[in-house]
Amino acid sequence: MNKTGIIIAREFNERVRKKSFIITTVLMPVLMIALMAAPTLMMIFAKGETKTLLVVDDSGVIASQLTGDDDVVFETSTLAPDEARARADRFGVLWIGGDIVDNPSNAKLYTNSSSSMSLESSISSQMEKIIERERLKRYDIDNLEQIMRDVKASVTLSTYRNDLAAEGEEKEATSSGTAYMMGIFLGMMLYMFLLIYGSMVMTSVIEEKGSRVLDVLVSSVSPFRLMMGKILGVAAVAVTQIAIWAVLVCGVGAVVLPAIMPDGVMQSVEAVRSGAITSAEAGIDADMLSAVSLATDPVRIVMMFVWLLLFLTGGFLFYSAMFAAVGSSVDSIQDAQQLQTPVTIPIILAIILAMSVFNDPNSSLAFWASMIPFTSPVVMMARIPFDIATWQIALSLAVLYASVAGMAWAAGKIYRVGIFMHGKKPTFKELLSWIRQ
């Protein structure tokens, strides 16, 4: 075991001391936040110049009620449609038919350049509301529009978990929106770590096999210990990175967020957390309130990272054993592509199955996908934010780590033969024969 420890230390130190590890550790959280904020930023900065539309309204009821904004400006025109279309100093012409109230499809947009989905949607939305108002006027009821506004209702539903609360108490559940976002984040993190660090093990084995370093090492240590040393060394790198992020997230949630959040928000969070009021009574968006409550609760954050570390370690050991077996069977990265495909497909399938969790985290598909070791690390991490039963998490971990032992045994069989094979890429049939030897 001392020799295995030397291999683990070498693999760990080689990667942790690289500048790329430090940069990745610092930039990855920033990159994840940037990816989450990217759609909003794109909407803000992707706006083009203001477009001017001539409106030829044969009905006489729509043009005067159209409202412009930063994207489009409406100019009412008395020109004939053909004359208006001939003007090249405007973005285009909106023609509205005389029977538009009865025939909402009798409208045409003529543009002098490419239009956009947002522009067309904005125009259609405004016209629909105007037509609805005009149709309401036909009922000749005083203040009908005000009556319609008064009868509209917005329901804010507070959800409680009977299975998580003590007898006689009420425990408000985490917002589904917050659990959804947390599930996506954790599932994607597992997905990336399994692919990135698993491929790192495979690449390391291929490089050392090509340089004949492995031929020397196996004279001092058994192939199985050599393989496990490399796997555990890289696993230690992944765990170190997750641990650093855990400290950063807990620090930000415990110190930074309470300091920058308005006092009213934090008071509402504490009141909801203590059960004094419900999220609906707080007067703040329920998803935002739940997200702030989760981010400022160090106990829940720590538990989330504990589960993440356990499933990351188990999933990595399971998959990296296969990646190491693939790396030992070939002489170059190019040759590894074919053998690598059966290993990467279950990881991709896992992230696809994780999407079903968000519709029903307790469905049969979600349950069994979180128990099968090929998909359980990613799918279970997507389910955990929904506060599923602890026994399901424990069972998934037990099955995963039991499968790690079997996969390590099978991969070790391939590894001990593959590291001495050169010049010929084995078939899947030959790999099976190596396992049976």
Side-chain angles (χ1 to χ4, degrees), residues 380-411:
M380 183 55 82
M381 284 311 305
R383 292 183 67 203
I384 285 177
F386 290 90
D387 292 324
I388 62 171
T390 305
W391 70 265
Q392 294 186 21
I393 303 176
L395 178 60
S396 179
L397 284 171
V399 174
L400 177 61
Y401 279 89
S403 302
V404 166
M407 186 58 68
W409 173 84

PDB file of all heavy atoms in Angstrom, residues 380-411:
ATOM      1  N   MET A 380     -29.272  11.105  -9.339  1.00  0.00           N
ATOM      2  CA  MET A 380     -29.555  11.278  -7.916  1.00  0.00           C
ATOM      3  C   MET A 380     -29.215  12.693  -7.451  1.00  0.00           C
ATOM      4  O   MET A 380     -29.955  13.280  -6.643  1.00  0.00           O
ATOM      5  CB  MET A 380     -28.784  10.250  -7.088  1.00  0.00           C
ATOM      6  CG  MET A 380     -29.090  10.318  -5.595  1.00  0.00           C
ATOM      7  SD  MET A 380     -30.861  10.162  -5.208  1.00  0.00           S
ATOM      8  CE  MET A 380     -31.068   8.391  -5.248  1.00  0.00           C
ATOM      9  N   MET A 381     -28.127  13.272  -7.968  1.00  0.00           N
ATOM     10  CA  MET A 381     -27.794  14.633  -7.577  1.00  0.00           C
ATOM     11  C   MET A 381     -28.832  15.624  -8.089  1.00  0.00           C
ATOM     12  O   MET A 381     -29.035  16.684  -7.489  1.00  0.00           O
ATOM     13  CB  MET A 381     -26.404  15.017  -8.096  1.00  0.00           C
ATOM     14  CG  MET A 381     -25.256  14.403  -7.308  1.00  0.00           C
ATOM     15  SD  MET A 381     -25.385  14.609  -5.508  1.00  0.00           S
ATOM     16  CE  MET A 381     -25.546  16.383  -5.342  1.00  0.00           C
ATOM     17  N   ALA A 382     -29.506  15.290  -9.191  1.00  0.00           N
ATOM     18  CA  ALA A 382     -30.593  16.142  -9.679  1.00  0.00           C
ATOM     19  C   ALA A 382     -31.845  15.987  -8.815  1.00  0.00           C
ATOM     20  O   ALA A 382     -32.673  16.899  -8.733  1.00  0.00           O
ATOM     21  CB  ALA A 382     -30.910  15.811 -11.136  1.00  0.00           C
ATOM     22  N   ARG A 383     -32.002  14.833  -8.133  1.00  0.00           N
ATOM     23  CA  ARG A 383     -33.173  14.578  -7.292  1.00  0.00           C
ATOM     24  C   ARG A 383     -33.014  15.119  -5.869  1.00  0.00           C
ATOM     25  O   ARG A 383     -34.001  15.505  -5.239  1.00  0.00           O
ATOM     26  CB  ARG A 383     -33.452  13.075  -7.208  1.00  0.00           C
ATOM     27  CG  ARG A 383     -33.908  12.417  -8.498  1.00  0.00           C
ATOM     28  CD  ARG A 383     -34.232  10.939  -8.250  1.00  0.00           C
ATOM     29  NE  ARG A 383     -35.404  10.802  -7.381  1.00  0.00           N
ATOM     30  CZ  ARG A 383     -35.659   9.734  -6.653  1.00  0.00           C
ATOM     31  NH1 ARG A 383     -34.797   8.715  -6.630  1.00  0.00           N
ATOM     32  NH2 ARG A 383     -36.753   9.667  -5.910  1.00  0.00           N
ATOM     33  N   ILE A 384     -31.799  15.150  -5.349  1.00  0.00           N
ATOM     34  CA  ILE A 384     -31.568  15.504  -3.943  1.00  0.00           C
ATOM     35  C   ILE A 384     -32.148  16.871  -3.569  1.00  0.00           C
ATOM     36  O   ILE A 384     -32.727  17.015  -2.482  1.00  0.00           O
ATOM     37  CB  ILE A 384     -30.060  15.416  -3.620  1.00  0.00           C
ATOM     38  CG1 ILE A 384     -29.647  13.937  -3.510  1.00  0.00           C
ATOM     39  CG2 ILE A 384     -29.725  16.143  -2.325  1.00  0.00           C
ATOM     40  CD1 ILE A 384     -28.169  13.721  -3.276  1.00  0.00           C
ATOM     41  N   PRO A 385     -32.031  17.927  -4.404  1.00  0.00           N
ATOM     42  CA  PRO A 385     -32.616  19.223  -4.001  1.00  0.00           C
ATOM     43  C   PRO A 385     -34.128  19.181  -3.776  1.00  0.00           C
ATOM     44  O   PRO A 385     -34.676  20.090  -3.151  1.00  0.00           O
ATOM     45  CB  PRO A 385     -32.262  20.140  -5.183  1.00  0.00           C
ATOM     46  CG  PRO A 385     -31.048  19.528  -5.794  1.00  0.00           C
ATOM     47  CD  PRO A 385     -31.235  18.059  -5.640  1.00  0.00           C
ATOM     48  N   PHE A 386     -34.814  18.138  -4.262  1.00  0.00           N
ATOM     49  CA  PHE A 386     -36.259  18.018  -4.058  1.00  0.00           C
ATOM     50  C   PHE A 386     -36.595  17.337  -2.728  1.00  0.00           C
ATOM     51  O   PHE A 386     -37.749  16.957  -2.509  1.00  0.00           O
ATOM     52  CB  PHE A 386     -36.886  17.239  -5.216  1.00  0.00           C
ATOM     53  CG  PHE A 386     -36.890  17.994  -6.524  1.00  0.00           C
ATOM     54  CD1 PHE A 386     -35.830  17.880  -7.405  1.00  0.00           C
ATOM     55  CD2 PHE A 386     -37.941  18.827  -6.850  1.00  0.00           C
ATOM     56  CE1 PHE A 386     -35.817  18.571  -8.609  1.00  0.00           C
ATOM     57  CE2 PHE A 386     -37.942  19.527  -8.053  1.00  0.00           C
ATOM     58  CZ  PHE A 386     -36.888  19.406  -8.930  1.00  0.00           C
ATOM     59  N   ASP A 387     -35.589  17.168  -1.859  1.00  0.00           N
ATOM     60  CA  ASP A 387     -35.792  16.598  -0.521  1.00  0.00           C
ATOM     61  C   ASP A 387     -36.418  15.204  -0.576  1.00  0.00           C
ATOM     62  O   ASP A 387     -37.427  14.918   0.078  1.00  0.00           O
ATOM     63  CB  ASP A 387     -36.668  17.517   0.338  1.00  0.00           C
ATOM     64  CG  ASP A 387     -35.981  18.820   0.677  1.00  0.00           C
ATOM     65  OD1 ASP A 387     -34.757  18.801   0.884  1.00  0.00           O
ATOM     66  OD2 ASP A 387     -36.660  19.857   0.709  1.00  0.00           O
ATOM     67  N   ILE A 388     -35.804  14.321  -1.355  1.00  0.00           N
ATOM     68  CA  ILE A 388     -36.290  12.947  -1.439  1.00  0.00           C
ATOM     69  C   ILE A 388     -35.907  12.185  -0.170  1.00  0.00           C
ATOM     70  O   ILE A 388     -35.089  12.659   0.629  1.00  0.00           O
ATOM     71  CB  ILE A 388     -35.731  12.229  -2.685  1.00  0.00           C
ATOM     72  CG1 ILE A 388     -34.207  12.140  -2.598  1.00  0.00           C
ATOM     73  CG2 ILE A 388     -36.156  12.934  -3.952  1.00  0.00           C
ATOM     74  CD1 ILE A 388     -33.606  11.260  -3.672  1.00  0.00           C
ATOM     75  N   ALA A 389     -36.471  11.002   0.002  1.00  0.00           N
ATOM     76  CA  ALA A 389     -36.232  10.214   1.214  1.00  0.00           C
ATOM     77  C   ALA A 389     -34.759   9.840   1.346  1.00  0.00           C
ATOM     78  O   ALA A 389     -34.113   9.466   0.363  1.00  0.00           O
ATOM     79  CB  ALA A 389     -37.094   8.951   1.181  1.00  0.00           C
ATOM     80  N   THR A 390     -34.249   9.913   2.569  1.00  0.00           N
ATOM     81  CA  THR A 390     -32.828   9.629   2.807  1.00  0.00           C
ATOM     82  C   THR A 390     -32.483   8.177   2.485  1.00  0.00           C
ATOM     83  O   THR A 390     -31.369   7.880   2.045  1.00  0.00           O
ATOM     84  CB  THR A 390     -32.476   9.939   4.272  1.00  0.00           C
ATOM     85  OG1 THR A 390     -32.836  11.291   4.570  1.00  0.00           O
ATOM     86  CG2 THR A 390     -30.977   9.771   4.517  1.00  0.00           C
ATOM     87  N   TRP A 391     -33.441   7.253   2.692  1.00  0.00           N
ATOM     88  CA  TRP A 391     -33.144   5.845   2.438  1.00  0.00           C
ATOM     89  C   TRP A 391     -32.862   5.607   0.949  1.00  0.00           C
ATOM     90  O   TRP A 391     -32.076   4.711   0.601  1.00  0.00           O
ATOM     91  CB  TRP A 391     -34.280   4.952   2.922  1.00  0.00           C
ATOM     92  CG  TRP A 391     -35.563   5.033   2.125  1.00  0.00           C
ATOM     93  CD1 TRP A 391     -36.639   5.809   2.409  1.00  0.00           C
ATOM     94  CD2 TRP A 391     -35.875   4.312   0.929  1.00  0.00           C
ATOM     95  NE1 TRP A 391     -37.620   5.629   1.467  1.00  0.00           N
ATOM     96  CE2 TRP A 391     -37.185   4.705   0.548  1.00  0.00           C
ATOM     97  CE3 TRP A 391     -35.204   3.375   0.152  1.00  0.00           C
ATOM     98  CZ2 TRP A 391     -37.817   4.205  -0.584  1.00  0.00           C
ATOM     99  CZ3 TRP A 391     -35.839   2.865  -0.981  1.00  0.00           C
ATOM    100  CH2 TRP A 391     -37.123   3.265  -1.341  1.00  0.00           C
ATOM    101  N   GLN A 392     -33.473   6.394   0.084  1.00  0.00           N
ATOM    102  CA  GLN A 392     -33.207   6.242  -1.342  1.00  0.00           C
ATOM    103  C   GLN A 392     -31.777   6.686  -1.678  1.00  0.00           C
ATOM    104  O   GLN A 392     -31.094   6.056  -2.483  1.00  0.00           O
ATOM    105  CB  GLN A 392     -34.211   7.062  -2.158  1.00  0.00           C
ATOM    106  CG  GLN A 392     -35.638   6.577  -2.046  1.00  0.00           C
ATOM    107  CD  GLN A 392     -36.585   7.314  -2.976  1.00  0.00           C
ATOM    108  OE1 GLN A 392     -36.170   7.919  -3.969  1.00  0.00           O
ATOM    109  NE2 GLN A 392     -37.870   7.284  -2.661  1.00  0.00           N
ATOM    110  N   ILE A 393     -31.337   7.768  -1.045  1.00  0.00           N
ATOM    111  CA  ILE A 393     -29.957   8.229  -1.260  1.00  0.00           C
ATOM    112  C   ILE A 393     -28.971   7.186  -0.748  1.00  0.00           C
ATOM    113  O   ILE A 393     -27.981   6.865  -1.410  1.00  0.00           O
ATOM    114  CB  ILE A 393     -29.731   9.582  -0.557  1.00  0.00           C
ATOM    115  CG1 ILE A 393     -30.746  10.629  -1.046  1.00  0.00           C
ATOM    116  CG2 ILE A 393     -28.310  10.075  -0.794  1.00  0.00           C
ATOM    117  CD1 ILE A 393     -30.653  11.960  -0.327  1.00  0.00           C
ATOM    118  N   ALA A 394     -29.245   6.644   0.449  1.00  0.00           N
ATOM    119  CA  ALA A 394     -28.350   5.634   1.028  1.00  0.00           C
ATOM    120  C   ALA A 394     -28.309   4.374   0.169  1.00  0.00           C
ATOM    121  O   ALA A 394     -27.228   3.792  -0.053  1.00  0.00           O
ATOM    122  CB  ALA A 394     -28.805   5.301   2.440  1.00  0.00           C
ATOM    123  N   LEU A 395     -29.456   3.949  -0.329  1.00  0.00           N
ATOM    124  CA  LEU A 395     -29.501   2.755  -1.183  1.00  0.00           C
ATOM    125  C   LEU A 395     -28.741   2.986  -2.486  1.00  0.00           C
ATOM    126  O   LEU A 395     -27.998   2.109  -2.940  1.00  0.00           O
ATOM    127  CB  LEU A 395     -30.960   2.390  -1.478  1.00  0.00           C
ATOM    128  CG  LEU A 395     -31.189   1.185  -2.410  1.00  0.00           C
ATOM    129  CD1 LEU A 395     -30.567  -0.076  -1.826  1.00  0.00           C
ATOM    130  CD2 LEU A 395     -32.685   0.980  -2.671  1.00  0.00           C
ATOM    131  N   SER A 396     -28.901   4.161  -3.062  1.00  0.00           N
ATOM    132  CA  SER A 396     -28.191   4.481  -4.300  1.00  0.00           C
ATOM    133  C   SER A 396     -26.680   4.459  -4.083  1.00  0.00           C
ATOM    134  O   SER A 396     -25.925   3.931  -4.908  1.00  0.00           O
ATOM    135  CB  SER A 396     -28.634   5.857  -4.808  1.00  0.00           C
ATOM    136  OG  SER A 396     -27.940   6.213  -5.992  1.00  0.00           O
ATOM    137  N   LEU A 397     -26.234   5.015  -2.949  1.00  0.00           N
ATOM    138  CA  LEU A 397     -24.797   5.006  -2.644  1.00  0.00           C
ATOM    139  C   LEU A 397     -24.285   3.584  -2.439  1.00  0.00           C
ATOM    140  O   LEU A 397     -23.184   3.240  -2.898  1.00  0.00           O
ATOM    141  CB  LEU A 397     -24.521   5.847  -1.397  1.00  0.00           C
ATOM    142  CG  LEU A 397     -24.545   7.370  -1.571  1.00  0.00           C
ATOM    143  CD1 LEU A 397     -24.481   8.056  -0.222  1.00  0.00           C
ATOM    144  CD2 LEU A 397     -23.382   7.826  -2.461  1.00  0.00           C
ATOM    145  N   ALA A 398     -25.071   2.763  -1.742  1.00  0.00           N
ATOM    146  CA  ALA A 398     -24.652   1.382  -1.487  1.00  0.00           C
ATOM    147  C   ALA A 398     -24.499   0.612  -2.796  1.00  0.00           C
ATOM    148  O   ALA A 398     -23.503  -0.101  -2.994  1.00  0.00           O
ATOM    149  CB  ALA A 398     -25.668   0.684  -0.572  1.00  0.00           C
ATOM    150  N   VAL A 399     -25.469   0.749  -3.690  1.00  0.00           N
ATOM    151  CA  VAL A 399     -25.394   0.061  -4.980  1.00  0.00           C
ATOM    152  C   VAL A 399     -24.218   0.588  -5.799  1.00  0.00           C
ATOM    153  O   VAL A 399     -23.491  -0.183  -6.441  1.00  0.00           O
ATOM    154  CB  VAL A 399     -26.714   0.243  -5.758  1.00  0.00           C
ATOM    155  CG1 VAL A 399     -26.595  -0.333  -7.173  1.00  0.00           C
ATOM    156  CG2 VAL A 399     -27.864  -0.420  -5.022  1.00  0.00           C
ATOM    157  N   LEU A 400     -24.014   1.898  -5.767  1.00  0.00           N
ATOM    158  CA  LEU A 400     -22.927   2.507  -6.547  1.00  0.00           C
ATOM    159  C   LEU A 400     -21.561   2.006  -6.089  1.00  0.00           C
ATOM    160  O   LEU A 400     -20.733   1.590  -6.912  1.00  0.00           O
ATOM    161  CB  LEU A 400     -23.011   4.031  -6.426  1.00  0.00           C
ATOM    162  CG  LEU A 400     -21.901   4.830  -7.119  1.00  0.00           C
ATOM    163  CD1 LEU A 400     -21.898   4.567  -8.625  1.00  0.00           C
ATOM    164  CD2 LEU A 400     -22.073   6.331  -6.849  1.00  0.00           C
ATOM    165  N   TYR A 401     -21.322   2.029  -4.778  1.00  0.00           N
ATOM    166  CA  TYR A 401     -19.999   1.630  -4.288  1.00  0.00           C
ATOM    167  C   TYR A 401     -19.785   0.126  -4.401  1.00  0.00           C
ATOM    168  O   TYR A 401     -18.647  -0.331  -4.560  1.00  0.00           O
ATOM    169  CB  TYR A 401     -19.803   2.109  -2.846  1.00  0.00           C
ATOM    170  CG  TYR A 401     -19.394   3.567  -2.784  1.00  0.00           C
ATOM    171  CD1 TYR A 401     -20.345   4.574  -2.725  1.00  0.00           C
ATOM    172  CD2 TYR A 401     -18.053   3.932  -2.813  1.00  0.00           C
ATOM    173  CE1 TYR A 401     -19.981   5.914  -2.683  1.00  0.00           C
ATOM    174  CE2 TYR A 401     -17.672   5.273  -2.770  1.00  0.00           C
ATOM    175  CZ  TYR A 401     -18.637   6.252  -2.709  1.00  0.00           C
ATOM    176  OH  TYR A 401     -18.265   7.575  -2.682  1.00  0.00           O
ATOM    177  N   ALA A 402     -20.861  -0.660  -4.310  1.00  0.00           N
ATOM    178  CA  ALA A 402     -20.725  -2.097  -4.557  1.00  0.00           C
ATOM    179  C   ALA A 402     -20.363  -2.350  -6.019  1.00  0.00           C
ATOM    180  O   ALA A 402     -19.557  -3.238  -6.340  1.00  0.00           O
ATOM    181  CB  ALA A 402     -22.023  -2.810  -4.198  1.00  0.00           C
ATOM    182  N   SER A 403     -20.932  -1.559  -6.912  1.00  0.00           N
ATOM    183  CA  SER A 403     -20.623  -1.693  -8.337  1.00  0.00           C
ATOM    184  C   SER A 403     -19.206  -1.237  -8.646  1.00  0.00           C
ATOM    185  O   SER A 403     -18.582  -1.738  -9.577  1.00  0.00           O
ATOM    186  CB  SER A 403     -21.624  -0.872  -9.168  1.00  0.00           C
ATOM    187  OG  SER A 403     -22.950  -1.290  -8.929  1.00  0.00           O
ATOM    188  N   VAL A 404     -18.703  -0.283  -7.861  1.00  0.00           N
ATOM    189  CA  VAL A 404     -17.319   0.177  -8.058  1.00  0.00           C
ATOM    190  C   VAL A 404     -16.353  -0.984  -7.871  1.00  0.00           C
ATOM    191  O   VAL A 404     -15.395  -1.145  -8.640  1.00  0.00           O
ATOM    192  CB  VAL A 404     -16.993   1.323  -7.071  1.00  0.00           C
ATOM    193  CG1 VAL A 404     -15.484   1.578  -7.024  1.00  0.00           C
ATOM    194  CG2 VAL A 404     -17.722   2.597  -7.484  1.00  0.00           C
ATOM    195  N   ALA A 405     -16.609  -1.800  -6.854  1.00  0.00           N
ATOM    196  CA  ALA A 405     -15.727  -2.944  -6.604  1.00  0.00           C
ATOM    197  C   ALA A 405     -15.730  -3.904  -7.787  1.00  0.00           C
ATOM    198  O   ALA A 405     -14.667  -4.366  -8.233  1.00  0.00           O
ATOM    199  CB  ALA A 405     -16.170  -3.666  -5.334  1.00  0.00           C
ATOM    200  N   GLY A 406     -16.920  -4.214  -8.324  1.00  0.00           N
ATOM    201  CA  GLY A 406     -16.999  -5.109  -9.471  1.00  0.00           C
ATOM    202  C   GLY A 406     -16.371  -4.517 -10.714  1.00  0.00           C
ATOM    203  O   GLY A 406     -15.663  -5.214 -11.463  1.00  0.00           O
ATOM    204  N   MET A 407     -16.596  -3.213 -10.950  1.00  0.00           N
ATOM    205  CA  MET A 407     -16.017  -2.573 -12.136  1.00  0.00           C
ATOM    206  C   MET A 407     -14.500  -2.481 -12.019  1.00  0.00           C
ATOM    207  O   MET A 407     -13.776  -2.665 -13.010  1.00  0.00           O
ATOM    208  CB  MET A 407     -16.626  -1.183 -12.308  1.00  0.00           C
ATOM    209  CG  MET A 407     -16.197  -0.475 -13.598  1.00  0.00           C
ATOM    210  SD  MET A 407     -16.619  -1.407 -15.093  1.00  0.00           S
ATOM    211  CE  MET A 407     -18.412  -1.278 -15.060  1.00  0.00           C
ATOM    212  N   ALA A 408     -13.996  -2.189 -10.828  1.00  0.00           N
ATOM    213  CA  ALA A 408     -12.542  -2.123 -10.634  1.00  0.00           C
ATOM    214  C   ALA A 408     -11.903  -3.490 -10.886  1.00  0.00           C
ATOM    215  O   ALA A 408     -10.812  -3.582 -11.467  1.00  0.00           O
ATOM    216  CB  ALA A 408     -12.226  -1.634  -9.225  1.00  0.00           C
ATOM    217  N   TRP A 409     -12.574  -4.558 -10.456  1.00  0.00           N
ATOM    218  CA  TRP A 409     -12.048  -5.912 -10.697  1.00  0.00           C
ATOM    219  C   TRP A 409     -11.982  -6.209 -12.194  1.00  0.00           C
ATOM    220  O   TRP A 409     -10.959  -6.685 -12.695  1.00  0.00           O
ATOM    221  CB  TRP A 409     -12.945  -6.937  -9.994  1.00  0.00           C
ATOM    222  CG  TRP A 409     -12.586  -8.364 -10.315  1.00  0.00           C
ATOM    223  CD1 TRP A 409     -11.621  -9.126  -9.721  1.00  0.00           C
ATOM    224  CD2 TRP A 409     -13.187  -9.187 -11.329  1.00  0.00           C
ATOM    225  NE1 TRP A 409     -11.575 -10.375 -10.295  1.00  0.00           N
ATOM    226  CE2 TRP A 409     -12.529 -10.439 -11.284  1.00  0.00           C
ATOM    227  CE3 TRP A 409     -14.206  -8.989 -12.252  1.00  0.00           C
ATOM    228  CZ2 TRP A 409     -12.864 -11.488 -12.149  1.00  0.00           C
ATOM    229  CZ3 TRP A 409     -14.547 -10.026 -13.106  1.00  0.00           C
ATOM    230  CH2 TRP A 409     -13.875 -11.265 -13.049  1.00  0.00           C
ATOM    231  N   ALA A 410     -13.076  -5.904 -12.928  1.00  0.00           N
ATOM    232  CA  ALA A 410     -13.112  -6.170 -14.366  1.00  0.00           C
ATOM    233  C   ALA A 410     -12.104  -5.295 -15.107  1.00  0.00           C
ATOM    234  O   ALA A 410     -11.374  -5.768 -15.995  1.00  0.00           O
ATOM    235  CB  ALA A 410     -14.524  -5.933 -14.916  1.00  0.00           C
ATOM    236  N   ALA A 411     -12.045  -4.003 -14.746  1.00  0.00           N
ATOM    237  CA  ALA A 411     -11.105  -3.095 -15.411  1.00  0.00           C
ATOM    238  C   ALA A 411      -9.663  -3.498 -15.115  1.00  0.00           C
ATOM    239  O   ALA A 411      -8.785  -3.376 -15.976  1.00  0.00           O
ATOM    240  CB  ALA A 411     -11.362  -1.662 -14.959  1.00  0.00           C
TER     241      ALA A 411
END
